[in-house]
Each structure stands twice: as structure tokens, then as C-alpha cells.
Amino acid sequence: MPFGDRKALIGPQGRTIGATRIWALPNPSGLNARWTAAAMAQEYARLRAAAESAGVEP
């Protein structure tokens, strides 16, 4: 949960840091068993697609 926002969901956030958009991702820690590797990969791919569409190079 970014910046202590208990209502934040995984994905793009409404807040920014300056001109930088905030994107919350699941923690890849093994202790975070709620998220499967496949589900985490989907979220990371979603972030990459958004960055690429915004013209950000990986």
C-alpha cells in the first residue's frame, strides 16, 4: 500500500511524485503467498505495457 493508503489497489495510482506516476505492484516476497507467480507476472507486464505506451524505455 503506497504511502500508507489503505484503499490503494494494485496498479496505477491517482497520486504522483512530481510528474512521475505511482504504480503499486505486489511484493514478490515468498511470504506473500496470496499472489501467484503468474498473477505477479501479469501485473508487472501491465506496468511495462503502460510504460512503453507512454514512451518510457525499459
Side-chain angles (χ1 to χ4, degrees):
M1 96 186 103
F3 302 100
D5 184 352
R6 295 188 181 275
K7 295 180 183 178
L9 301 175
I10 297 298
Q13 305 300 301
R15 298 174 72 167
T16 61
I17 298 175
T20 303
R21 185 177 200 181
I22 299 172
W23 195 289
L25 292 168
N27 185 337
S29 166
L31 298 176
N32 191 10
R34 193 179 108 190
W35 284 87
T36 65
M40 283 190 280
Q42 286 178 332
E43 291 302 326
Y44 281 83
R46 199 163 68 109
L47 171 59
R48 181 179 181 132
E52 288 174 346
S53 71
V56 177
E57 293 185 34

